[in-house]
Amino acid sequence: MSPQPSEAAGGNGGVALIFELGQEGRANRYLENAKPLETFLPPSLLRDDLPLPDNSELDVVRHYTQLSQRTFGIDLGFYPLGSCTMKYNPRVNDAVATRHEFADLHPYTPDELAQGALQVMYELERSLSSLFGMAAFSLNPSAGAHAELGALLIAKKFFKERGQTQRDKVIVPDTAHGTNPASAAMCGFKVISLPSDERGRVSVAEIGKVLGADTAVCMMTNPNTLGLFEDEIAEIAAAVHEAGGLMYYDGANANAIMGYARPGDMGFDLMHLNTHKTFTIPHGGGGAGHGPLGVAAHLVEYLPIPVVVREGSSFRLDFDRPKSIGPMRSFWSNFAHAARALAYLYANGEEGLKRVSQLAVLNANYLRVKVAEFLDTPYPENCRHEFVASAQRLRKEHGVRALDIAKALLDCGYMAPTIYFPLIVPECLMIEPTETESKETLDAFAQALQTIVERAASDPEALFAAPTTTVVGRVDETRAARRPDLRWRPATGQEEGSRPAPKK
Ligand SMILES: Cc1ncc(COP(=O)(O)O)c(C=O)c1O
């Protein structure tokens, strides 16, 4: 009998490592009669010193299937992780992206043999430009933060060429995502944090205090991370431009405005999109993303290369752009994501995209009003795609924190909302239901949250102990993030009670 996970599991929450499951002679023998590898590969390329485990195919399938069931994803349940837009990704878009005509294209395929794929990139670029009011996009960056860095590199080059190297300050509102100041600092700018007003927004008056000859860029998210539309945006953009600076739009929340408002019309010079949020691409776990970077006409020549251009009825990748900041990713970046995003855009069409935004806003407001019945919502006005609630009162009265509520939600079968962000809301819970969830799901979630809030008064200890139904209970959050122990070393056989070392 092969070792079962429960038998072999060490301190890994009940699942043995694939290495620990291996036993000599267990591997599949389907290919036993096939020609040996030496027939195909020169001896110099063959290794026999890798400590690979000898597992049967069945053990491998069971092992990875069990692992897949020990995590949580949007396919399993509601995932209201504010700012992350964890929504349903229609499978048909994966089918489009994984067509062999796209998936099997070699990155060195000459342009003339890759016309269909180049057309996908071209049409996506044109669609994004028109939907968001920019002159052009580069599809090169592979995440929002990556595009932020690209945009700031563009700004740096732009000012350098104008002899304005004294422009070394980037203004970032205090509601901004952490990647904004991080990207600015990485790019060598000094970060000026701008306080929001009592309405949770940036005011022209406040920004006026920090604008000057040293202003390079003002980075704004609209709607912001409180889910509120920055209604003074036109005046703010005018003031920044008047001071000689550039406006950057963090498009992570673009699912709230599609078809209704365009960053280009609001006065932004640069922007990014997180196609892995706003459109269709599954994200999470730091996996591959896609962060198209858009610019207004005066910055087009700085875009990262390559840029797809159309010449008559054919398409080509343009690398010959002397002012470009250069490539940010190899080859075509995450091309499959571009194909998914275009499929999503075409499937929805203009009206469908407007409906996406309508439903994102409707769902957020529906849930906000329900949650406001039992939790404080510090900005009690119509929100856009997300809203924030605060557990500060529960903390004061019962010692129950946002963290405890988040953990208790896991026991109810939900992913927790984003917590402690934005930083300006004490004991913050940031909830984004997205447009793909039904009223029944939102009702059930609100009910679960209410039950937890009521329990904070009657039985706070139960919340401190949560989660109790997940594979791993409470961990030391800091150590888990900063000092994860992800290493495995082959056993030497010398350890007390150790399993035999895997077969070499
Ligand atoms: C408002 C906001 N800006 C920027 C980012 C960074 O985007 P990415 O995760 O694609 O790097 C995020 C990510 O969650 C975000 O929520």
Side-chain angles (χ1 to χ4, degrees):
M1 224 181 103
S2 66
Q4 292 305 299
S6 54
E7 292 169 35
N12 307 308
V15 172
L17 299 178
I18 193 79
F19 293 94
E20 295 170 312
L21 287 175
Q23 289 217 354
E24 187 150 7
R26 178 107 348 123
N28 274 336
R29 299 293 169 224
Y30 290 152
L31 303 179
E32 220 159 42
N33 298 326
K35 287 184 185 169
L37 279 177
E38 290 78 352
T39 328
F40 309 99
L41 294 172
S44 59
L45 295 182
L46 291 172
R47 291 182 64 178
D48 63 357
D49 59 342
L50 288 177
L52 294 178
D54 211 355
N55 291 302
S56 74
E57 186 171 321
L58 178 60
D59 282 347
V60 172
V61 168
R62 284 196 180 143
H63 177 74
Y64 286 108
T65 305
Q66 281 168 2
L67 281 185
S68 76
Q69 290 172 342
R70 297 166 74 90
T71 185
F72 188 88
I74 184 74
D75 292 345
L76 279 173
F78 186 44
Y79 209 123
L81 196 64
S83 199
C84 288
T85 316
M86 296 299 286
K87 63 187 185 184
Y88 171 67
N89 301 287
R91 295 296 189 269
V92 66
N93 302 326
D94 291 332
V96 168
T98 50
R99 280 182 68 99
H100 83 93
E101 294 91 335
F102 293 145
D104 296 342
L105 261 185
H106 193 280
Y108 280 124
T109 306
D111 289 358
E112 56 276 23
L113 298 180
Q115 287 296 296
L118 293 181
Q119 186 170 352
V120 164
M121 291 166 77
Y122 179 80
E123 292 191 15
L124 178 62
E125 188 279 317
R126 287 292 79 211
S127 305
L128 296 181
S129 298
S130 110
L131 189 58
F132 295 98
M134 305 309 282
F137 268 84
S138 162
L139 307 179
N140 200 243
S142 55
H146 202 202
E148 288 169 21
L149 181 67
L152 291 164
L153 288 169
I154 289 178
K156 197 153 218 183
K157 195 157 186 190
F158 175 79
F159 289 125
K160 190 169 177 202
E161 282 182 359
R162 275 157 190 71
Q164 298 181 16
T165 45
Q166 88 288 356
R167 293 195 181 275
D168 62 352
K169 307 264 183 332
V170 170
I171 301 166
V172 182
D174 58 7
T175 49
H177 192 262
T179 51
N180 289 190
S183 302
M186 264 186 91
C187 209
F189 287 110
K190 295 189 185 92
V191 178
I192 308 278
S193 178
L194 199 65
S196 310
D197 63 14
E198 67 289 349
R199 296 167 59 240
R201 294 169 169 92
V202 171
S203 69
V204 194
E206 197 61 41
I207 204 167
K209 294 181 193 163
V210 295
L211 287 174
D214 57 357
T215 302
V217 180
C218 171
M219 301 178 87
M220 290 198 43
T221 312
N222 198 15
N224 64 27
T225 60
L226 299 168
L228 303 173
F229 194 81
E230 296 282 359
D231 45 16
E232 292 187 17
I233 193 64
E235 293 83 353
I236 291 169
V240 171
H241 288 151
E242 177 71 29
L246 295 172
M247 288 290 290
Y248 180 78
Y249 181 84
D250 177 332
N253 297 340
N255 60 324
I257 59 154
M258 284 187 297
Y260 287 98
R262 305 193 312 163
D265 301 335
M266 295 178 210
F268 285 94
D269 306 284
L270 300 135
M271 71 169 287
H272 83 251
L273 283 166
N274 308 63
T275 39
H276 49 288
K277 303 182 185 203
T278 308
F279 300 144
T280 190
I281 298 138
H283 74 139
H290 193 222
L293 162 55
V295 288
H298 53 290
L299 298 171
V300 171
E301 53 194 347
Y302 299 94
L303 277 176
I305 49 174
V307 176
V308 188
V309 291
R310 180 180 186 152
E311 281 162 358
S313 59
S314 60
F315 305 90
R316 80 178 164 81
L317 288 175
D318 189 9
F319 288 89
D320 186 19
R321 299 196 156 215
K323 287 199 176 179
S324 162
I325 57 163
M328 298 198 68
R329 265 293 303 267
S330 51
F331 299 109
W332 303 3
S333 191
N334 284 332
F335 168 74
H337 284 357
R340 286 186 179 92
L342 188 65
Y344 179 82
L345 286 182
Y346 283 175
N348 277 293
E350 209 177 320
E351 284 311 307
L353 291 174
K354 283 176 103 164
R355 186 146 178 81
V356 164
S357 293
Q358 285 168 8
L359 290 175
V361 173
L362 179 65
N363 275 359
N365 279 293
Y366 180 77
L367 197 54
R368 178 182 63 78
V369 171
K370 288 196 118 227
V371 169
E373 288 170 16
F374 50 85
L375 266 180
D376 294 332
T377 49
Y379 301 96
E381 58 172 293
N382 276 348
C383 61
R384 296 296 165 240
H385 63 300
E386 66 194 2
F387 66 95
V388 292
S390 169
Q392 196 180 20
R393 195 167 40 84
L394 293 186
R395 183 171 189 171
K396 278 193 190 133
E397 291 171 8
H398 314 292
V400 170
R401 298 167 301 156
L403 179 74
D404 304 314
I405 296 177
K407 298 293 182 193
L409 276 167
L410 304 182
D411 280 336
C412 303
Y414 296 110
M415 180 66 188
T418 299
I419 50 175
Y420 299 105
F421 170 64
L423 300 174
I424 58 169
V425 178
E427 295 299 326
C428 185
L429 294 149
M430 183 203 220
I431 302 174
E432 178 176 13
T434 83
E435 76 279 6
T436 55
E437 299 297 338
S438 67
K439 176 178 175 298
E440 290 73 22
T441 300
L442 303 186
D443 287 341
F445 175 76
Q447 182 58 59
L449 195 53
Q450 181 166 7
T451 306
I452 292 169
V453 169
E454 285 165 4
R455 214 158 176 202
S458 64
D459 185 9
E461 294 301 325
L463 302 186
F464 302 148
T468 55
T469 58
T470 50
V471 174
V472 177
R474 284 260 177 145
V475 293
D476 177 330
E477 306 262 331
T478 311
R479 280 189 61 209
R482 298 281 172 245
R483 280 204 262 144
D485 182 4
L486 305 174
R487 280 171 306 175
W488 175 83
R489 289 198 192 87
T492 59
Q494 305 305 310
E495 303 86 351
E496 205 181 326
S498 66
R499 292 183 198 94
K503 173 184 173 276
K504 289 215 169 177

